């Protein structure tokens, strides 16, 4: 017997828009779409006895509208995840992790824009700009690396963080076999090799960084890519 019970269907909001079964299986392109979904209708019979699975037709790509994340009558509130505004059949497909994560990221960007931000949080990519005070070797390592080169370890400070494997190798250590540090002995000053100075921190989004450029050029690139992604999302999906 399972040690705990997972609740598959829970409360959903009543949003400014509600995604229906027909919206979902037809691949409705909402004008305020914020992300895609992909999963088939996947209903469990309430009294047991099996699952009602209905695959989407080839080429059908459902979208999620901003209105489905906004509780009706609310102010300054977004609700992302499987609680989004949808009927039971549509929710059986929208509830899966990939769509929930996409809705969460969309809600985060919408919240950032509502607060007046031009972009959501970006960190590591700006290290590889001409104005950053990082060393040239650090910048080049970001350009040359990808998410496979990120090592999650608490060795260097006592607190877990993401670090670039090449810098760990340069310090004479094996990034694949790092010992675990005692969290009670935090040391942000470091020993022979200091975190962030010699052992370079970096996030997992560095795979998109392919050159060192000025901050102005990088921001312009982000703006172009955002507009292209938005236009692609709001364009009809080719059959």
């Amino acid at each position: 017997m399972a040690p705990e019970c997972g609740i598959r269907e829970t409360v959903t909001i009543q949003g400014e828009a509600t995604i229906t079964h027909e919206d979902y299986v037809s691949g409705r392109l909402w004008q305020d779409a914020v992300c895609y979904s992909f999963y088939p209708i996947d209903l469990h019979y309430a009294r047991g006895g099996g699952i009602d699975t209905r695959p989407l037709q080839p080429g059908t790509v459902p979208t999620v509208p901003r209105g489905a994340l906004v509780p009706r009558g609310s102010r300054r509130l977004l609700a992302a995840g499987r609680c989004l505004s949808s009927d039971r059949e549509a929710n059986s497909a929208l509830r899966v992790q990939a769509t929930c994560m996409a809705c969460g990221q969309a809600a985060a960007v919408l919240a950032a824009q509502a607060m007046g931000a031009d972009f959501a949080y970006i960190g590591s990519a700006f290290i590889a700009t001409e104005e950053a005070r990082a060393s040239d070797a650090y910048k080049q390592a970001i350009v040359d690396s990808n998410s496979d080169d990120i090592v999650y370890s608490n060795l260097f400070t006592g607190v877990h963080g993401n670090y670039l494997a090449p810098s760990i190798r340069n310090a004479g250590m094996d990034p694949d076999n790092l010992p675990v540090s005692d969290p009670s002995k935090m040391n942000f000053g470091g020993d022979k090799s200091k975190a962030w100075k010699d052992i370079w921190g970096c996030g997992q989004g560095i795979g998109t960084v392919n050159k060192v450029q000025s901050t102005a050029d990088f921001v312009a690139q982000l703006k172009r890519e955002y507009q292209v992604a938005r236009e692609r999302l709001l364009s009809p999906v080719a059959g």
Side-chain angles (χ1 to χ4, degrees), residues 121-128:
Y121 182 87
I122 298 174
S124 301
F126 280 100
I127 298 173

Side-chain angles (χ1 to χ4, degrees), residues 18-113:
T18 296
I19 306 171
T20 67
H21 167 262
E22 179 57 31
D23 294 329
Y24 193 86
V25 299
S26 66
R28 177 177 176 179
L29 180 63
W30 296 83
Q31 290 305 303
D32 60 342
V34 293
C35 68
Y36 295 115
S37 188
F38 71 100
Y39 206 67
I41 300 297
D42 183 35
L43 285 166
H44 288 205
Y45 294 121
R47 298 184 181 277
I51 303 174
D52 177 9
T53 302
R54 308 172 209 161
L56 295 170
Q57 292 298 311
T60 300
V61 184
T63 60
V64 176
R66 178 194 62 83
L69 309 183
V70 181
R72 191 182 305 163
S74 67
R75 296 185 63 199
R76 304 186 183 93
L77 181 63
L78 293 166
R82 63 179 180 178
C83 64
L84 85 172
S85 185
S86 54
D87 67 20
R88 182 170 182 261
E89 290 179 294
N91 193 265
S92 72
L94 291 162
R95 65 177 177 80
V96 297
Q97 290 185 12
T99 304
C100 287
M101 288 189 290
C103 288
Q105 183 166 343
V109 173
L110 287 169
Q113 291 180 326

Side-chain angles (χ1 to χ4, degrees), residues 183-198:
S184 67
K185 298 179 180 178
M186 289 186 192
N187 179 11
F188 289 95
D191 296 315
K192 182 178 179 181
S193 296
K194 293 185 177 181
W196 305 300
K197 178 182 178 183
D198 305 300

Side-chain angles (χ1 to χ4, degrees), residues 44 46 57 92 112 128 130 132 136 145 167 170 173 199 203 208 211 238:
H44 288 205
Q57 292 298 311
S92 72
E130 295 168 359
D136 290 341
S145 300
S167 67
N170 291 342
M173 293 175 279
I199 308 297
T208 61
K211 61 182 176 181

Side-chain angles (χ1 to χ4, degrees), residues 133-218:
R133 297 178 64 183
S135 67
D136 290 341
Y138 189 173
K139 296 178 184 181
Q140 191 59 45
I142 290 176
V143 173
D144 296 338
S145 300
N146 57 44
S147 59
D148 292 334
D149 298 302
I150 301 296
V151 178
Y152 187 61
S153 174
N154 74 342
L155 174 63
F156 308 106
T157 66
V159 178
H160 277 92
N162 289 326
Y163 300 95
L164 279 172
S167 67
I168 297 173
R169 295 191 190 96
N170 291 342
M173 293 175 279
D174 181 357
D176 296 321
N177 294 283
L178 294 176
V180 177
S181 175
D182 181 352
S184 67
K185 298 179 180 178
M186 289 186 192
N187 179 11
F188 289 95
D191 296 315
K192 182 178 179 181
S193 296
K194 293 185 177 181
W196 305 300
K197 178 182 178 183
D198 305 300
I199 308 297
W200 300 325
C202 205
Q204 299 195 20
I206 60 170
T208 61
V209 181
N210 54 26
K211 61 182 176 181
V212 176
Q213 59 185 324
S214 70
T215 300
D217 287 343
F218 180 52

